[in-house]
Amino acid sequence: MKITIFYFSGTGSTWYVANSLAEAINNKGVQAEAISIEKINQTDSEKAIKESDKIVLGFPIYCSAAPRNMEQFIDNLPQEKGKPVSVFTTVALYSGDGTIHYRKLLQRKGYAFEAGMEFVMHSNLNVPGFPDMFKPGDEEKIALRNENAIAKAKQMAEAIISGQSKTEGGGFFGRFTGISQRIFYDMSIKMLNKKLLVKHDKCIKCMRCVKMCPVENIKFEDGKIQIGDNCMACMRCYHFCPTAAINCTEKSFDIKKWPRFKGPTKDYIKTLL
């Protein structure tokens, strides 16, 4: 059996879960591979799906929905005839029905929906305007969430391999929460985009933000970094700028009050450069 995990990760939480899940599956004697959708084209992704017995989709939750690039990836999935698909999401608190929101779309494309599980990971929305509960916390808290993710990944691996129909986020409350949050999806991202700014006297022109942006919304023009209006709220530029030159309103200039999240481990940033 071969299982391919397609994922998108903004600041590393989904990357961590995807690789933990692949490792848990491989440890069960089943071949598994985690692939970032940023590093595979349409032709190669269709080939990987065709060669896989099962696939898994993983993504962070934005207002109870997937990021725009993952939604596009799902829209472009080839038609299948009963190929099993599972979904996992990474959240700061709770996504409502995020794990099963795309179930009907996947079923219309001919996929058999199996497991849908939610992983509480590290929030990257520790920006002015959001409550303190969205701060990722210190190294100890981050390490604890990582450990919990590994444990849950082992549970999901068993469900995927055995074909269990194990889903989270159903029921009235999950549906209500999901619908209520998705209403504000576009508005929230546009609002965040408008708040992003560059403190040019701190910018060292390393081009890290330009390289990391998944939608090429950051450019180096006229001798300085320019942020466009097509942000998808992955938060990489805000957190991974080495000098904290990219900010979310002037309040975030205070990096002691608004510390940046550097990923679940130091290895994640290396995968983006």
Side-chain angles (χ1 to χ4, degrees), residues 248-264:
C248 187
T249 76
E250 293 183 358
K251 291 181 179 180
S252 65
F253 290 172
D254 184 350
I255 58 175
K256 289 185 178 179
K257 186 175 182 179
W258 302 103
R260 305 313 198 245
F261 172 58
K262 298 304 181 182

Side-chain angles (χ1 to χ4, degrees), residues 89-108:
T89 61
T90 54
V91 300
L93 292 174
Y94 175 62
S95 73
D97 62 349
T99 60
I100 59 174
H101 176 55
Y102 301 95
R103 179 166 56 186
K104 288 184 178 180
L105 173 58
L106 291 165
Q107 289 172 339
R108 287 197 296 270

